[in-house]
C-alpha cells in the first residue's frame, strides 16, 4: 500500500465528511438527532481505516453510515450488516448520485446477532464493530466477525464511551496477547489479531485469565 494510495483514500474521507450520506433517523428514546443525518465516529477513525485497507481488502462492518460509503469508494470487498433496509437504500442512492460503483458492496439486512452466524465464514482483513450498542452485541459481533479475521487482520471497535459496548470485551482484548492494540482514543480503538480461526475456545486456552499455574 503506497503513500499515494493512502493520500487518495484520505481525500475521499474529506469528500465524504463534507458531503455525508443522510441515512440515519433520530433516536426515539433520547431524541438524539444524527448531525447531518448520519451517526458517525471520529475523523481519526476514518483516517485510520484509510491507512489500513484499500482496493480488494476484505472488510466487514456492523452498522452502516459514512464508513460504508468509504469502504465502497475505496473498492473494498465489503459486507455491511444493518437491520434497516431503508438505510441501505439511502446509502445506495447516495452512491448512485455520485456515480460510485457499489458492486463490491454487499448489504446483509438483519440484526447482526442473527445475520453474522449464518454468513459463510470467509477470511476478513478488517472488521469494524459499530452496529447494535446494547450489551452483548459488540461482543457477539467480535465473536462472529472477529473470528473470521486473518492473522494480522484489524479489529476496530467504536463507542468506547458506552459501557454496554466495552463490558468484558475490552478487558479481554487488553489481556489477550493475541490482540495487539494499534490505537486507542476515548471513542474508538483498534487491535491487530495475532491468531486465526474460531474464537470459541476453552478457559484453559486463556492462561492470561487463569487463577492456576500450568503444570511444569
Ligand atoms: C453509529 S451508526 C454506524 C455509523 C457508521 N459506522 C459510520 O461511521 O458512519 C450505527 C448503525 O448500527 C445499526 N444497527 C443498530 N442495531 C444493529 C444491530 N443489532 N445489528 C447491526 N446493525 C445495527 C444502525 O441501524 C446504524 O446503521
Amino acid at each position: 500500500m503506497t503513500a499515494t494510495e493512502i493520500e487518495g483514500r484520505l481525500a475521499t474521507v474529506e469528500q465524504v465528511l463534507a458531503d455525508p450520506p443522510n441515512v440515519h433517523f433520530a433516536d426515539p428514546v433520547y431524541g438524539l438527532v444524527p448531525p447531518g443525518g448520519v451517526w458517525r465516529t471520529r475523523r481519526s477513525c476514518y483516517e485510520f481505516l484509510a491507512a489500513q485497507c484499500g482496493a480488494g481488502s476484505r472488510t466487514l462492518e456492523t452498522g452502516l453510515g459514512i464508513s460504508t460509503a468509504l469502504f465502497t469508494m475505496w473498492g473494498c470487498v465489503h459486507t455491511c450488516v444493518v437491520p434497516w433496509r431503508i438505510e441501505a437504500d439511502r446509502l445506495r442512492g447516495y452512491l448512485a448520485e455520485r456515480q460510485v460503483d457499489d458492486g463490491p458492496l454487499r448489504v446483509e439486512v438483519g440484526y447482526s446477532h442473527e445475520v453474522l452466524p449464518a454468513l459463510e465464514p470467509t477470511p476478513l482483513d478488517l472488521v469494524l464493530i459499530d452496529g447494535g450498542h446494547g450489551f452483548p452485541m459488540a461482543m457477539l459481533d467480535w465473536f462472529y466477525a472477529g473470528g473470521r479475521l486473518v492473522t494480522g487482520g484489524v479489529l476496530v471497535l467504536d463507542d468506547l464511551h458506552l459501557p454496554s459496548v466495552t463490558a468484558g470485551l475490552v478487558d479481554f482484548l487488553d489481556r489477550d496477547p493475541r490482540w495487539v492494540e494499534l490505537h486507542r482514543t476515548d471513542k474508538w480503538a483498534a487491535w491487530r489479531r495475532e491468531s486465526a480461526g474460531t474464537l470459541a475456545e476453552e478457559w484453559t486456552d486463556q492462561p492470561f485469565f487463569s487463577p492456576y499455574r500450568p503444570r511444569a
Side-chain angles (χ1 to χ4, degrees):
M1 185 169 303
T2 68
T4 311
E5 288 170 340
I6 296 175
E7 276 169 25
R9 289 194 290 279
L10 289 172
T12 309
V13 172
E14 294 304 318
Q15 182 191 327
V16 175
L17 287 178
D19 171 34
N22 182 341
V23 290
H24 292 142
F25 298 90
D27 169 79
V29 177
Y30 294 105
L32 303 172
V33 177
V38 61
W39 299 113
R40 63 188 80 191
T41 183
R42 296 246 175 90
R43 171 188 296 266
S44 61
C45 185
Y46 302 126
E47 291 172 346
F48 176 85
L49 295 173
Q52 299 295 323
C53 54
S57 297
R58 300 161 295 182
T59 54
L60 182 148
E61 70 181 318
T62 54
L64 172 150
I66 287 172
S67 46
T68 321
L70 290 172
F71 286 122
T72 308
M73 290 173 160
W74 294 335
C76 299
V77 180
H78 188 61
T79 303
C80 171
V81 182
V82 67
W84 322 116
R85 186 170 298 282
I86 189 160
E87 290 189 12
D89 291 344
R90 284 178 164 201
L91 185 79
R92 288 202 191 274
Y94 168 91
L95 295 170
E97 281 168 19
R98 287 151 188 80
Q99 285 83 46
V100 176
D101 174 16
D102 67 355
L105 170 63
R106 172 178 170 192
V107 178
E108 296 287 344
V109 176
Y111 294 106
S112 60
H113 69 282
E114 295 173 345
V115 170
L116 288 174
L119 295 181
E120 193 186 342
T122 54
L124 295 170
D125 301 306
L126 185 141
V127 168
L128 168 62
I129 297 178
D130 194 15
H133 289 73
F135 181 83
M137 295 311 166
M139 195 181 290
L140 295 176
D141 291 353
W142 165 78
F143 179 77
Y144 288 112
R148 292 169 53 186
L149 280 170
V150 297
T151 305
V154 175
L155 173 80
V156 180
L157 178 65
D158 192 37
D159 291 315
L160 300 188
H161 61 292
L162 295 176
S164 50
V165 167
T166 58
L169 177 56
V170 171
D171 179 37
F172 179 84
L173 294 169
D174 283 345
R175 288 172 189 249
D176 187 341
R178 297 167 296 182
W179 294 91
V180 176
E181 186 180 298
L182 297 176
H183 197 88
R184 186 178 301 205
T185 72
D186 58 342
K187 172 82 165 111
W188 65 275
W191 293 262
R192 183 178 64 244
R193 187 175 184 195
E194 295 289 340
S195 60
T198 179
L199 293 170
E201 55 188 14
E202 254 302 343
W203 68 277
T204 46
D205 299 318
Q206 302 172 340
F208 44 89
F209 264 151
S210 177
Y212 306 109
R213 287 182 188 280
R215 287 193 300 178

